[in-house]
Amino acid sequence: MIYRQKFGEPIETQAVVNLNGVEDCSDKYLEYFKVESGSKVSLRRTLKDGVAVYGLGESTRGINKRGWSYQSFCSDDPLHTEDKRSLYGAHNFIVIAEEKPFGVFVDIPGKVDFDICFKSCDTLEILTDDRDFYLYIITGESMKDIVSQFRKIIGKSYMPPLWAMGYQQCRWSYPDEESVRKVADEHRKLEIPLDAVYLDIDYMESFKDFTVDKSKFPDLQKLTEDLKSDGIHLVPIIDAGVKIEDGYEVYEQGVENGYFCKDENGENYVTAVWPGKTMFPDFLNSEARRWFGMKYKYLTDMGIDGFWNDMNEPAIFYSEKGLEKAWANIEDKKGKNIDLYGFFDLRDSFSKLANSEDDYRAMYHDMDGKRVNHYKVHNIYGYNMTRSAAEALDEIRPNKKTLLYSRASYIGMHRCSGIWMGDNQSWWSHILLNLRMLPSLNMCGFLYTGADLGGFGGNSTRDLVLRWLALGIFNPLMRNHSALGTRNQECYNFERPQELAEMVRLRYRLIPYLYSELNKANDNYTMMFRPLAFDYPDDKFAQAVEDQLMLGDELMIAPVYEQNAIGRSVYVPEDMLLVLFDSSESFTTRKLEKGHHFIQVGLTQVPVFIKKNAVLPLCKSAISTEKLNMSEITIIGWVEDRAEYKLYTDDGISVSNKGEKLITLSAENGEVGCDSGNIRVEDGGVVFE
Ligand code: MIG
């Protein structure tokens, strides 16, 4: 059951698109929360010891969110440490794992706090920043059931083209054509599979959206075509801020039509990001949204079929006013004796210039005739930038899937695109953070997602990249990315690159399974990745697991995420077959009984756990997804009775093309069906060879 309560006069975020079965009910929430309202609304509930809370999509800390206070306020913060409260997304959905579990979704476009037993060890408090919002309470038989009811009301998720399941290589930046070609060549030379290379901000002319710097990329169309003929897609970045420059078409059209955000006096609001002074398109205005979205055509006309939208929280370096204040502070302190607090104040006047609350409060939107302060709708800005791209791309490339993902997000945007997990660091702990965000993002509808493999900030190391790839091969979005000034992180830049290549090849072998599970999770409103607690709610060991995940109906994954480890402890919640890949082609298997095990996992090995009477379909690896033969499947499993698998197939690119094939495998009772030879999946059924 889903109950909805309206507080005040909410701004429609369009997170929820299907109200079938949703009951507008004035007092149901009072059974769940103690409510206090003033200018803000506080919803409080006492939680018994041991009650876990799941959700909040992209956020720091554990799978179980209990014990910390989070804040939904889209933030450009490149240090994802435990003390942080907000990252780039605002995903206000939680499930409380009481004996009778229930879910809560707070649909508010502005700030909201989730204090989950932080201030008081037994109190959950949700505190909204204003009085206008919808509250949804979702009850159901199980956590999985609650999530699936929620996913139904927020609608189906963005599904990427098949090539976006391939390996993708990024760096800030590959600055010119030659360096992009080199990345492609090095991968091909060493037969490291690759489906995409990225263009970060330096491909543009002075960071101007929808321009190409001809001195570095003299013929982008030719480059795009050449790479595509080799199965490699070129994916440029698009930033939210538009440079102020006379003669720059996007700027001039935006000014002429009033498409930019305004200040309190109705003048165009000037801030600064990459190119220096910029203005922000008013993505909350439907005309501005369409106008900006159609600009992507400049790049699709050159054969581009993938984009990533960045800096759309929006990230602001400084505003004119903010900068004036900072200069004034310096002037004021000049020549004076500055004590400790004076020094802090001086330092902060610059370090706190970026993404300041004052700047967000000084900005206004025209929501189709209604003037709205940015602060109140901050969390749906990036969502609407990406919506602008998604809607236009549907028009520009009819019935074709485009790769699209965003940095900032709100629930609802999951229908338009994926997200990547932003600027992580080359830290061991961030492998684990990558793992923990997968299920919470799935709860909120974000299925196509992944972290910067190898880590974005800081210098990576060979062992870190190998261990991260061993998780990364399961991320739907599998992208290696690193920041300006950091060590080169491409597989071929490390010693014995063939060992890294084998990881990537194993990914390609897994694509029939991963693509199937991704699409099935979307079709059936299920989670592709789940905490063990969701599948084994009565198992106290499973409930406590924070570093393993269930993947689809068949698998469990448990990557190694510690430096110098020779393996790890794994909790096996039911009898499973451990498949330890030594390379993409060779593996050993071992039957494991339910219980705790220590598993040795070398630096170049990947463990996969398959449930009894389930099978994992694999194809042969190839240098790009285009070359994969997904109709020749090998299966691995431990089959005592009977196993079947639904293989999802489509043409990988048309929105309308869909299909599902069923592999049924039977084996004699008690026999282990391990790597049972090749099977061909044909329309009539399955052929064993
Ligand atoms: O503040 O475009 O998260 O992936 O490489 C940095 C440069 C701006 C942030 C993105 C990152 C990208 C970088 N961008």
Side-chain angles (χ1 to χ4, degrees):
M1 271 312 290
I2 306 186
Y3 305 94
R4 178 171 85 151
Q5 173 65 34
K6 185 175 176 180
F7 288 78
E9 283 306 319
I11 289 170
E12 300 294 333
T13 63
Q14 290 168 43
V16 172
V17 286
N18 177 10
L19 282 171
N20 278 345
V22 175
E23 212 172 286
D24 275 306
C25 174
S26 56
D27 49 10
K28 190 72 185 178
Y29 70 102
L30 294 170
E31 288 173 29
Y32 289 87
F33 291 105
K34 216 176 117 204
V35 181
E36 264 173 56
S37 34
S39 59
K40 303 178 182 220
V41 177
S42 149
L43 304 157
R44 245 176 299 148
R45 181 179 178 88
T46 305
L47 300 189
K48 286 203 187 112
D49 283 355
V51 167
V53 177
Y54 300 97
L56 295 184
E58 186 183 45
S59 50
T60 58
R61 295 200 166 229
I63 289 180
N64 174 0
K65 296 306 209 207
R66 187 166 177 157
W68 188 242
S69 175
Y70 305 83
Q71 183 167 74
S72 289
F73 194 73
C74 297
S75 303
D76 168 23
D77 186 332
L79 283 175
H80 308 169
T81 47
E82 284 179 22
D83 57 325
K84 296 299 165 62
R85 303 184 61 208
S86 312
L87 295 177
Y88 315 88
H91 306 142
N92 306 333
F93 175 56
I94 53 174
V95 173
I96 297 141
E98 293 184 3
E99 210 172 310
K100 278 196 180 149
F102 66 100
V104 181
F105 174 48
V106 189
D107 189 11
I108 182 168
K111 197 183 251 185
V112 52
D113 286 347
F114 289 86
D115 180 321
I116 307 180
C117 306
F118 169 72
K119 261 186 242 122
S120 152
C121 71
D122 65 356
T123 310
L124 162 70
E125 185 187 29
I126 302 173
L127 184 68
T128 61
D129 203 56
D130 65 42
R131 279 181 298 192
D132 306 314
F133 62 96
Y134 290 105
L135 176 69
Y136 292 80
I137 306 270
I138 307 167
T139 62
E141 282 159 25
S142 62
M143 295 192 273
K144 287 205 255 191
D145 172 41
I146 289 162
V147 169
S148 119
Q149 289 185 56
F150 177 61
R151 292 266 305 281
K152 265 180 210 150
I153 65 166
I154 60 172
K156 290 267 164 74
S157 305
Y158 162 82
M159 284 292 111
L162 178 66
W163 66 263
M165 299 298 288
Y167 182 58
Q168 312 184 27
Q169 184 64 55
C170 189
R171 178 167 182 87
W172 176 16
S173 288
Y174 301 122
D176 52 25
E177 171 166 342
E178 199 192 329
S179 59
V180 169
R181 286 190 190 272
K182 179 165 185 273
V183 175
D185 289 348
E186 294 288 338
H187 281 85
R188 289 293 178 254
K189 224 165 50 202
L190 296 172
E191 293 181 357
I192 307 168
L194 183 72
D195 268 75
V197 181
Y198 279 71
L199 297 178
D200 208 321
I201 46 175
D202 300 291
Y203 79 91
M204 294 180 258
E205 224 175 67
S206 352
F207 312 120
K208 284 184 288 186
D209 282 333
F210 314 113
T211 66
V212 174
D213 186 333
K214 296 267 166 27
S215 68
K216 301 176 195 159
F217 293 91
D219 192 344
L220 189 67
Q221 179 159 356
K222 171 107 189 353
L223 177 63
T224 308
E225 281 163 6
D226 287 354
L227 291 178
K228 209 179 271 176
S229 68
D230 199 6
I232 298 170
H233 300 250
L234 204 52
V235 184
I237 195 169
I238 304 290
D239 279 355
V242 169
K243 186 174 192 215
I244 298 179
E245 186 183 283
D246 288 338
Y248 169 38
E249 191 188 86
V250 183
Y251 162 71
E252 290 193 338
Q253 284 178 1
V255 170
E256 205 176 289
N257 294 291
Y259 289 154
F260 292 115
C261 293
K262 303 288 184 299
D263 67 12
E264 58 197 353
N265 303 318
E267 302 292 323
N268 289 324
Y269 186 55
V270 178
T271 54
V273 204
W274 291 116
K277 294 215 170 132
T278 43
M279 297 199 305
F280 286 118
D282 190 353
F283 291 113
L284 301 189
N285 180 281
S286 57
E287 266 179 49
R289 206 157 51 228
R290 183 158 194 287
W291 162 72
F292 192 87
M294 290 311 281
K295 295 281 167 218
Y296 285 72
K297 190 164 184 299
Y298 171 70
L299 289 155
T300 56
D301 281 350
M302 296 184 210
I304 299 285
D305 51 7
F307 298 93
W308 49 314
N309 284 345
D310 192 21
M311 305 290 279
N312 51 2
E313 293 70 30
I316 299 179
F317 290 171
Y318 60 86
S319 67
E320 285 182 322
K321 265 200 191 142
L323 198 60
E324 270 164 32
K325 245 166 83 180
W327 290 127
N329 196 14
I330 297 189
E331 258 333 292
D332 180 53
K333 292 200 168 62
K334 210 170 174 178
K336 291 189 187 144
N337 178 31
I338 303 172
D339 69 0
L340 175 72
Y341 296 114
F343 171 69
F344 283 174
D345 182 54
L346 191 64
R347 189 190 56 186
D348 288 352
S349 59
F350 282 93
S351 67
K352 293 205 171 146
L353 212 52
N355 307 322
S356 89
E357 190 174 315
D358 288 350
D359 291 346
Y360 291 134
R361 284 192 189 278
M363 186 161 131
Y364 290 83
H365 298 277
D366 168 7
M367 287 185 78
D368 294 349
K370 195 172 160 208
R371 184 169 180 267
V372 181
N373 185 260
H374 175 79
Y375 201 74
K376 204 175 157 86
V377 290
H378 176 74
N379 287 344
I380 58 170
Y381 184 78
Y383 162 14
N384 279 284
M385 173 188 184
T386 301
R387 179 178 162 201
S388 121
E391 288 175 352
L393 287 164
D394 276 349
E395 212 177 310
I396 300 167
R397 311 181 71 237
N399 198 28
K400 291 235 172 68
K401 293 180 187 167
T402 305
L403 170 63
L404 179 65
Y405 57 90
S406 174
R407 197 172 70 176
S409 61
Y410 183 82
I411 292 173
M413 199 196 81
H414 71 286
R415 297 187 299 269
C416 308
S417 81
I419 60 171
W420 92 100
M421 296 169 185
D423 296 345
N424 59 8
Q425 299 281 325
S426 297
W427 295 342
W428 289 89
S429 61
H430 278 185
I431 300 180
L432 198 51
L433 192 60
N434 176 177
L435 177 139
R436 288 172 174 166
M437 284 193 213
L438 289 168
S440 54
L441 282 167
N442 280 193
M443 288 173 72
C444 300
F446 293 95
L447 299 180
Y448 186 71
T449 184
D452 288 349
L453 304 178
F456 175 73
N459 288 323
S460 205
T461 57
R462 184 177 185 275
D463 54 348
L464 178 67
V465 173
L466 273 163
R467 290 296 196 195
W468 210 326
L469 284 174
L471 168 65
I473 60 173
F474 300 104
N475 280 336
L477 162 58
M478 185 190 183
R479 184 180 79 152
N480 177 333
H481 181 34
S482 53
L484 188 70
T486 63
R487 177 183 191 177
N488 292 332
Q489 203 168 281
E490 298 77 11
C491 292
Y492 57 80
N493 275 313
F494 293 102
E495 293 103 337
R496 282 179 269 143
Q498 282 309 322
E499 292 181 354
L500 293 97
E502 278 299 296
M503 289 278 177
V504 184
R505 286 175 200 140
L506 180 55
R507 157 62 167 225
Y508 279 66
R509 299 206 65 196
L510 287 162
I511 286 179
Y513 183 72
L514 296 172
Y515 193 58
S516 294
E517 291 310 311
L518 181 75
N519 278 280
K520 287 192 281 182
N522 186 34
D523 288 348
N524 307 327
Y525 302 106
T526 52
M527 294 161 66
M528 181 174 171
F529 296 94
R530 297 174 307 282
L532 269 59
F534 278 45
D535 285 26
Y536 308 93
D538 301 322
D539 177 335
K540 68 169 189 288
F541 293 114
Q543 274 171 24
V545 172
E546 285 274 347
D547 58 359
Q548 309 170 198
L549 295 176
M550 304 307 294
L551 163 50
D553 282 334
E554 286 70 24
L555 304 189
M556 183 177 79
I557 57 171
V560 172
Y561 53 88
E562 268 167 0
Q563 192 181 355
N564 305 326
I566 58 160
R568 55 163 290 170
S569 297
V570 176
Y571 179 62
V572 178
E574 62 175 286
D575 293 357
M576 287 181 176
L577 182 71
L578 164 63
V579 184
L580 193 59
F581 286 94
D582 296 307
S583 69
S584 65
E585 293 291 335
S586 76
F587 59 87
T588 55
T589 61
R590 204 165 99 211
K591 290 188 212 165
L592 296 176
E593 279 178 11
K594 172 179 167 157
H596 290 97
H597 299 267
F598 185 86
I599 312 290
Q600 288 196 29
V601 186
L603 198 54
T604 57
Q605 291 180 315
V606 178
V608 176
F609 302 77
I610 308 177
K611 288 191 206 167
K612 197 173 9 177
N613 291 324
V615 289
L616 170 64
L618 297 169
C619 64
K620 286 216 176 75
S621 183
I623 54 156
S624 67
T625 51
E626 201 179 66
K627 298 262 160 67
L628 282 178
N629 178 356
M630 299 221 279
S631 59
E632 260 191 40
I633 299 284
T634 300
I635 44 177
I636 310 174
W638 166 12
V639 181
E640 283 204 348
D641 307 312
R642 192 176 166 279
E644 62 177 43
Y645 184 74
K646 268 192 190 158
L647 192 73
Y648 175 96
T649 54
D650 62 15
D651 67 2
I653 190 76
S654 318
V655 177
S656 56
N657 181 279
K658 268 179 161 291
E660 247 181 42
K661 289 174 181 170
L662 189 68
I663 299 179
T664 312
L665 170 74
S666 342
E668 295 285 307
N669 209 4
E671 191 184 304
V672 179
C674 173
D675 194 11
S676 319
N678 281 334
I679 53 173
R680 268 182 295 127
V681 190
E682 291 181 346
D683 282 345
V686 175
V687 183
F688 287 84
E689 279 169 356

